Amino acid sequence: MTDTITIPAAVAIDTPAHPAARFAGWLRSGWQLFRRAPSRLFGLMLLLLAIEMQIQTAIPFVGITLSKIAAGLFGGLFWLPLYRLHIGGRLRLRQTLSAVTGSWAALAGLAVVQLLVFLVQVAAGRLLLGPGALDLLIFARATSDLPPGEFQIGLILAAGVPLSTIMMFSAPLILIDRYSLGPALLTSIRLCLRNAAPMVLVAMMMMLVFFISPSAYLLPTLLLGPWLLCVGLAAYIDLRRQASHKA
């Protein structure tokens, strides 16, 4: 599949050349998009967290692993209503979800691949907490009388961000550009590597949010998460447009 795409500029996406300026442009464009439907975007974030927590608590032994797959699947779906919000001005969940037809298998496969991010977090937990981290993070079964501290949990959450960042455009490539799973992953990695400097800034910002969330009752994730999703879409549109101009 070629690297060509036409994306309507319903929300202006700043495209300065300097990496820091480009990153700042994504922040501004993401904020403009977020302001179109803040309450619904917060609702989407709460829904995703509620689904993940419900699966973790309702299913014994494998609940955490299944919750990560579900979070990857439903989190991937959010890119499509965000894109429709970008080009149409309204967040229409029913209409956008009906457009997923034909992409469910690739999206489900991506959710399984994204378990690698969870495995990186488990590995970080093993280094920080010792062997008991496997029981705690995979089976939600504490084997030590000393619970992990907020600093340690923050590091574990942040550890998965670099890998999740290079895969972050896979879902919109599947849902918007109709790529299959393999090309979507490779294209996402290629887009991130070609624009490493601003993408590193995106990753650093997300790592900071995840790092401070455990000590702030997850409020940074809840409050900034919807805006960060919009920033991600702004980055995706900008980088795909740049790729199409070079093709």
Side-chain angles (χ1 to χ4, degrees):
M1 177 173 285
T2 61
D3 246 354
T4 58
I5 184 172
T6 301
I7 300 178
V11 173
I13 305 298
D14 298 325
T15 56
H18 192 276
R22 190 163 211 168
F23 171 68
W26 295 346
L27 298 183
R28 289 192 299 270
S29 300
W31 178 251
Q32 293 173 6
L33 181 61
F34 168 75
R35 289 177 59 187
R36 288 186 169 186
S39 59
R40 291 192 178 189
L41 289 172
F42 277 124
L44 285 176
M45 178 62 65
L46 288 173
L47 176 62
L48 178 60
L49 292 176
I51 291 173
E52 185 174 2
M53 293 301 297
Q54 181 64 28
I55 293 175
Q56 288 183 11
T57 56
I59 303 177
F61 301 112
V62 295
I64 291 182
T65 302
L66 291 178
S67 74
K68 300 304 178 182
I69 296 176
L73 178 62
F74 290 107
L77 286 174
F78 285 176
W79 287 87
L80 195 51
L82 273 182
Y83 180 70
R84 293 298 179 89
L85 178 66
H86 160 73
I87 62 175
R90 298 188 65 182
L91 198 64
R92 299 178 180 272
L93 291 181
R94 293 182 180 179
Q95 292 182 3
T96 54
L97 291 180
S98 64
V100 184
T101 303
S103 299
W104 284 109
L107 198 61
L110 176 62
V112 174
V113 172
Q114 288 174 332
L115 275 179
L116 292 173
V117 175
F118 178 53
L119 293 179
V120 170
Q121 293 172 327
V122 171
R126 175 65 174 79
L127 292 174
L128 292 170
L129 305 177
L134 300 180
D135 286 326
L136 178 64
L137 298 176
I138 297 179
F139 303 111
R141 189 171 56 203
T143 57
S144 173
D145 294 333
L146 184 62
E150 295 167 348
F151 175 79
Q152 294 168 311
I153 295 298
L155 285 177
I156 291 170
L157 293 177
V161 170
L163 181 57
S164 66
T165 299
I166 66 173
M167 294 192 293
M168 69 180 294
F169 299 132
S170 301
L173 285 165
I174 290 172
L175 294 172
I176 299 172
D177 293 345
R178 301 298 179 179
Y179 276 45
S180 58
L181 177 58
L185 285 167
L186 292 175
T187 302
S188 178
I189 294 171
R190 186 167 64 247
L191 288 173
C192 290
L193 294 180
R194 286 178 178 174
N195 302 272
M199 290 305 300
V200 166
L201 295 177
V202 171
M204 291 175 61
M205 181 176 66
M206 292 192 296
M207 290 178 73
L208 178 61
V209 170
F210 283 121
F211 176 71
I212 64 177
S213 284
S215 60
Y217 305 101
L218 297 181
L219 286 178
T221 299
L222 290 173
L223 296 178
L224 298 178
W227 172 51
L228 292 178
L229 288 173
C230 294
V231 171
L233 182 68
Y236 165 75
I237 292 173
D238 179 26
L239 297 184
R240 290 294 289 133
R241 178 181 295 152
Q242 181 189 45
S244 67
H245 288 165
K246 290 181 178 180

PDB file of all heavy atoms in Angstrom, residues 52-74:
ATOM      1  N   GLU A  52     -11.915  -1.571  31.689  1.00  0.00           N
ATOM      2  CA  GLU A  52     -10.674  -2.240  32.087  1.00  0.00           C
ATOM      3  C   GLU A  52     -10.751  -2.706  33.539  1.00  0.00           C
ATOM      4  O   GLU A  52     -10.393  -3.849  33.857  1.00  0.00           O
ATOM      5  CB  GLU A  52      -9.492  -1.285  31.897  1.00  0.00           C
ATOM      6  CG  GLU A  52      -8.153  -1.927  32.164  1.00  0.00           C
ATOM      7  CD  GLU A  52      -6.985  -1.008  31.831  1.00  0.00           C
ATOM      8  OE1 GLU A  52      -7.233   0.152  31.430  1.00  0.00           O
ATOM      9  OE2 GLU A  52      -5.825  -1.445  31.978  1.00  0.00           O
ATOM     10  N   MET A  53     -11.228  -1.837  34.436  1.00  0.00           N
ATOM     11  CA  MET A  53     -11.296  -2.201  35.848  1.00  0.00           C
ATOM     12  C   MET A  53     -12.317  -3.303  36.092  1.00  0.00           C
ATOM     13  O   MET A  53     -12.107  -4.202  36.918  1.00  0.00           O
ATOM     14  CB  MET A  53     -11.637  -0.968  36.672  1.00  0.00           C
ATOM     15  CG  MET A  53     -10.549   0.094  36.692  1.00  0.00           C
ATOM     16  SD  MET A  53      -8.973  -0.526  37.345  1.00  0.00           S
ATOM     17  CE  MET A  53      -9.458  -0.951  39.018  1.00  0.00           C
ATOM     18  N   GLN A  54     -13.444  -3.259  35.371  1.00  0.00           N
ATOM     19  CA  GLN A  54     -14.474  -4.279  35.556  1.00  0.00           C
ATOM     20  C   GLN A  54     -13.965  -5.657  35.155  1.00  0.00           C
ATOM     21  O   GLN A  54     -14.219  -6.653  35.849  1.00  0.00           O
ATOM     22  CB  GLN A  54     -15.718  -3.908  34.730  1.00  0.00           C
ATOM     23  CG  GLN A  54     -16.870  -4.880  34.862  1.00  0.00           C
ATOM     24  CD  GLN A  54     -17.433  -4.946  36.272  1.00  0.00           C
ATOM     25  OE1 GLN A  54     -17.362  -3.977  37.017  1.00  0.00           O
ATOM     26  NE2 GLN A  54     -17.995  -6.094  36.648  1.00  0.00           N
ATOM     27  N   ILE A  55     -13.255  -5.736  34.047  1.00  0.00           N
ATOM     28  CA  ILE A  55     -12.712  -7.024  33.606  1.00  0.00           C
ATOM     29  C   ILE A  55     -11.670  -7.524  34.609  1.00  0.00           C
ATOM     30  O   ILE A  55     -11.623  -8.717  34.929  1.00  0.00           O
ATOM     31  CB  ILE A  55     -12.100  -6.888  32.200  1.00  0.00           C
ATOM     32  CG1 ILE A  55     -13.207  -6.598  31.179  1.00  0.00           C
ATOM     33  CG2 ILE A  55     -11.343  -8.157  31.808  1.00  0.00           C
ATOM     34  CD1 ILE A  55     -12.696  -6.327  29.787  1.00  0.00           C
ATOM     35  N   GLN A  56     -10.852  -6.624  35.121  1.00  0.00           N
ATOM     36  CA  GLN A  56      -9.825  -7.029  36.079  1.00  0.00           C
ATOM     37  C   GLN A  56     -10.423  -7.620  37.346  1.00  0.00           C
ATOM     38  O   GLN A  56      -9.902  -8.598  37.898  1.00  0.00           O
ATOM     39  CB  GLN A  56      -8.942  -5.830  36.442  1.00  0.00           C
ATOM     40  CG  GLN A  56      -8.016  -5.388  35.335  1.00  0.00           C
ATOM     41  CD  GLN A  56      -7.116  -4.241  35.757  1.00  0.00           C
ATOM     42  OE1 GLN A  56      -7.042  -3.892  36.944  1.00  0.00           O
ATOM     43  NE2 GLN A  56      -6.435  -3.631  34.808  1.00  0.00           N
ATOM     44  N   THR A  57     -11.518  -7.027  37.817  1.00  0.00           N
ATOM     45  CA  THR A  57     -12.105  -7.476  39.077  1.00  0.00           C
ATOM     46  C   THR A  57     -13.085  -8.636  38.897  1.00  0.00           C
ATOM     47  O   THR A  57     -13.283  -9.422  39.826  1.00  0.00           O
ATOM     48  CB  THR A  57     -12.834  -6.314  39.763  1.00  0.00           C
ATOM     49  OG1 THR A  57     -13.821  -5.761  38.869  1.00  0.00           O
ATOM     50  CG2 THR A  57     -11.853  -5.209  40.150  1.00  0.00           C
ATOM     51  N   ALA A  58     -13.679  -8.765  37.717  1.00  0.00           N
ATOM     52  CA  ALA A  58     -14.726  -9.771  37.519  1.00  0.00           C
ATOM     53  C   ALA A  58     -14.181 -11.130  37.095  1.00  0.00           C
ATOM     54  O   ALA A  58     -14.828 -12.155  37.325  1.00  0.00           O
ATOM     55  CB  ALA A  58     -15.742  -9.284  36.482  1.00  0.00           C
ATOM     56  N   ILE A  59     -13.010 -11.154  36.481  1.00  0.00           N
ATOM     57  CA  ILE A  59     -12.467 -12.409  35.948  1.00  0.00           C
ATOM     58  C   ILE A  59     -11.228 -12.791  36.750  1.00  0.00           C
ATOM     59  O   ILE A  59     -10.238 -12.041  36.754  1.00  0.00           O
ATOM     60  CB  ILE A  59     -12.117 -12.277  34.463  1.00  0.00           C
ATOM     61  CG1 ILE A  59     -13.358 -11.844  33.664  1.00  0.00           C
ATOM     62  CG2 ILE A  59     -11.574 -13.590  33.914  1.00  0.00           C
ATOM     63  CD1 ILE A  59     -13.091 -11.614  32.197  1.00  0.00           C
ATOM     64  N   PRO A  60     -11.238 -13.904  37.437  1.00  0.00           N
ATOM     65  CA  PRO A  60     -10.077 -14.303  38.241  1.00  0.00           C
ATOM     66  C   PRO A  60      -8.903 -14.759  37.383  1.00  0.00           C
ATOM     67  O   PRO A  60      -9.083 -15.213  36.263  1.00  0.00           O
ATOM     68  CB  PRO A  60     -10.616 -15.450  39.102  1.00  0.00           C
ATOM     69  CG  PRO A  60     -11.748 -16.014  38.299  1.00  0.00           C
ATOM     70  CD  PRO A  60     -12.350 -14.859  37.558  1.00  0.00           C
ATOM     71  N   PHE A  61      -7.706 -14.634  37.943  1.00  0.00           N
ATOM     72  CA  PHE A  61      -6.453 -15.138  37.379  1.00  0.00           C
ATOM     73  C   PHE A  61      -6.033 -14.418  36.090  1.00  0.00           C
ATOM     74  O   PHE A  61      -4.940 -13.897  36.009  1.00  0.00           O
ATOM     75  CB  PHE A  61      -6.524 -16.645  37.137  1.00  0.00           C
ATOM     76  CG  PHE A  61      -6.791 -17.438  38.379  1.00  0.00           C
ATOM     77  CD1 PHE A  61      -8.003 -18.108  38.536  1.00  0.00           C
ATOM     78  CD2 PHE A  61      -5.862 -17.508  39.406  1.00  0.00           C
ATOM     79  CE1 PHE A  61      -8.260 -18.836  39.677  1.00  0.00           C
ATOM     80  CE2 PHE A  61      -6.123 -18.225  40.552  1.00  0.00           C
ATOM     81  CZ  PHE A  61      -7.314 -18.886  40.700  1.00  0.00           C
ATOM     82  N   VAL A  62      -6.875 -14.434  35.063  1.00  0.00           N
ATOM     83  CA  VAL A  62      -6.476 -13.850  33.778  1.00  0.00           C
ATOM     84  C   VAL A  62      -7.151 -12.515  33.522  1.00  0.00           C
ATOM     85  O   VAL A  62      -7.067 -11.980  32.417  1.00  0.00           O
ATOM     86  CB  VAL A  62      -6.788 -14.826  32.621  1.00  0.00           C
ATOM     87  CG1 VAL A  62      -5.958 -16.079  32.749  1.00  0.00           C
ATOM     88  CG2 VAL A  62      -8.278 -15.149  32.559  1.00  0.00           C
ATOM     89  N   GLY A  63      -7.816 -11.954  34.537  1.00  0.00           N
ATOM     90  CA  GLY A  63      -8.565 -10.716  34.339  1.00  0.00           C
ATOM     91  C   GLY A  63      -7.692  -9.549  33.917  1.00  0.00           C
ATOM     92  O   GLY A  63      -8.079  -8.761  33.038  1.00  0.00           O
ATOM     93  N   ILE A  64      -6.519  -9.424  34.511  1.00  0.00           N
ATOM     94  CA  ILE A  64      -5.658  -8.295  34.170  1.00  0.00           C
ATOM     95  C   ILE A  64      -5.185  -8.395  32.727  1.00  0.00           C
ATOM     96  O   ILE A  64      -5.232  -7.416  31.975  1.00  0.00           O
ATOM     97  CB  ILE A  64      -4.458  -8.223  35.137  1.00  0.00           C
ATOM     98  CG1 ILE A  64      -4.943  -7.832  36.535  1.00  0.00           C
ATOM     99  CG2 ILE A  64      -3.420  -7.230  34.635  1.00  0.00           C
ATOM    100  CD1 ILE A  64      -3.830  -7.678  37.548  1.00  0.00           C
ATOM    101  N   THR A  65      -4.746  -9.581  32.318  1.00  0.00           N
ATOM    102  CA  THR A  65      -4.298  -9.755  30.935  1.00  0.00           C
ATOM    103  C   THR A  65      -5.423  -9.483  29.945  1.00  0.00           C
ATOM    104  O   THR A  65      -5.240  -8.787  28.937  1.00  0.00           O
ATOM    105  CB  THR A  65      -3.756 -11.178  30.734  1.00  0.00           C
ATOM    106  OG1 THR A  65      -2.680 -11.405  31.648  1.00  0.00           O
ATOM    107  CG2 THR A  65      -3.254 -11.356  29.311  1.00  0.00           C
ATOM    108  N   LEU A  66      -6.620 -10.023  30.232  1.00  0.00           N
ATOM    109  CA  LEU A  66      -7.754  -9.780  29.337  1.00  0.00           C
ATOM    110  C   LEU A  66      -8.144  -8.303  29.319  1.00  0.00           C
ATOM    111  O   LEU A  66      -8.570  -7.778  28.287  1.00  0.00           O
ATOM    112  CB  LEU A  66      -8.948 -10.636  29.771  1.00  0.00           C
ATOM    113  CG  LEU A  66      -8.815 -12.145  29.568  1.00  0.00           C
ATOM    114  CD1 LEU A  66     -10.053 -12.866  30.084  1.00  0.00           C
ATOM    115  CD2 LEU A  66      -8.587 -12.477  28.100  1.00  0.00           C
ATOM    116  N   SER A  67      -8.002  -7.637  30.467  1.00  0.00           N
ATOM    117  CA  SER A  67      -8.353  -6.214  30.520  1.00  0.00           C
ATOM    118  C   SER A  67      -7.423  -5.391  29.646  1.00  0.00           C
ATOM    119  O   SER A  67      -7.842  -4.379  29.067  1.00  0.00           O
ATOM    120  CB  SER A  67      -8.310  -5.707  31.964  1.00  0.00           C
ATOM    121  OG  SER A  67      -6.980  -5.556  32.423  1.00  0.00           O
ATOM    122  N   LYS A  68      -6.161  -5.804  29.529  1.00  0.00           N
ATOM    123  CA  LYS A  68      -5.223  -5.079  28.678  1.00  0.00           C
ATOM    124  C   LYS A  68      -5.586  -5.255  27.198  1.00  0.00           C
ATOM    125  O   LYS A  68      -5.470  -4.311  26.409  1.00  0.00           O
ATOM    126  CB  LYS A  68      -3.799  -5.563  28.930  1.00  0.00           C
ATOM    127  CG  LYS A  68      -3.322  -5.384  30.367  1.00  0.00           C
ATOM    128  CD  LYS A  68      -3.436  -3.950  30.821  1.00  0.00           C
ATOM    129  CE  LYS A  68      -2.999  -3.800  32.269  1.00  0.00           C
ATOM    130  NZ  LYS A  68      -3.154  -2.398  32.760  1.00  0.00           N
ATOM    131  N   ILE A  69      -6.041  -6.462  26.835  1.00  0.00           N
ATOM    132  CA  ILE A  69      -6.489  -6.691  25.458  1.00  0.00           C
ATOM    133  C   ILE A  69      -7.729  -5.854  25.167  1.00  0.00           C
ATOM    134  O   ILE A  69      -7.844  -5.216  24.114  1.00  0.00           O
ATOM    135  CB  ILE A  69      -6.761  -8.181  25.222  1.00  0.00           C
ATOM    136  CG1 ILE A  69      -5.468  -8.989  25.374  1.00  0.00           C
ATOM    137  CG2 ILE A  69      -7.362  -8.402  23.838  1.00  0.00           C
ATOM    138  CD1 ILE A  69      -5.657 -10.488  25.247  1.00  0.00           C
ATOM    139  N   ALA A  70      -8.676  -5.843  26.118  1.00  0.00           N
ATOM    140  CA  ALA A  70      -9.900  -5.056  25.932  1.00  0.00           C
ATOM    141  C   ALA A  70      -9.584  -3.571  25.849  1.00  0.00           C
ATOM    142  O   ALA A  70     -10.162  -2.850  25.020  1.00  0.00           O
ATOM    143  CB  ALA A  70     -10.865  -5.326  27.083  1.00  0.00           C
ATOM    144  N   ALA A  71      -8.655  -3.105  26.692  1.00  0.00           N
ATOM    145  CA  ALA A  71      -8.278  -1.689  26.648  1.00  0.00           C
ATOM    146  C   ALA A  71      -7.634  -1.338  25.317  1.00  0.00           C
ATOM    147  O   ALA A  71      -7.882  -0.262  24.761  1.00  0.00           O
ATOM    148  CB  ALA A  71      -7.329  -1.367  27.800  1.00  0.00           C
ATOM    149  N   GLY A  72      -6.817  -2.256  24.782  1.00  0.00           N
ATOM    150  CA  GLY A  72      -6.224  -2.014  23.473  1.00  0.00           C
ATOM    151  C   GLY A  72      -7.259  -1.973  22.371  1.00  0.00           C
ATOM    152  O   GLY A  72      -7.188  -1.142  21.462  1.00  0.00           O
ATOM    153  N   LEU A  73      -8.264  -2.851  22.462  1.00  0.00           N
ATOM    154  CA  LEU A  73      -9.307  -2.903  21.441  1.00  0.00           C
ATOM    155  C   LEU A  73     -10.182  -1.654  21.484  1.00  0.00           C
ATOM    156  O   LEU A  73     -10.364  -0.968  20.470  1.00  0.00           O
ATOM    157  CB  LEU A  73     -10.169  -4.150  21.647  1.00  0.00           C
ATOM    158  CG  LEU A  73     -11.337  -4.339  20.684  1.00  0.00           C
ATOM    159  CD1 LEU A  73     -10.848  -4.476  19.252  1.00  0.00           C
ATOM    160  CD2 LEU A  73     -12.168  -5.553  21.084  1.00  0.00           C
ATOM    161  N   PHE A  74     -10.729  -1.342  22.660  1.00  0.00           N
ATOM    162  CA  PHE A  74     -11.629  -0.196  22.762  1.00  0.00           C
ATOM    163  C   PHE A  74     -10.873   1.127  22.668  1.00  0.00           C
ATOM    164  O   PHE A  74     -11.392   2.115  22.145  1.00  0.00           O
ATOM    165  CB  PHE A  74     -12.418  -0.264  24.068  1.00  0.00           C
ATOM    166  CG  PHE A  74     -13.429  -1.373  24.097  1.00  0.00           C
ATOM    167  CD1 PHE A  74     -13.221  -2.506  24.856  1.00  0.00           C
ATOM    168  CD2 PHE A  74     -14.588  -1.291  23.344  1.00  0.00           C
ATOM    169  CE1 PHE A  74     -14.141  -3.536  24.875  1.00  0.00           C
ATOM    170  CE2 PHE A  74     -15.517  -2.311  23.352  1.00  0.00           C
ATOM    171  CZ  PHE A  74     -15.295  -3.441  24.118  1.00  0.00           C
TER     172      PHE A  74
END
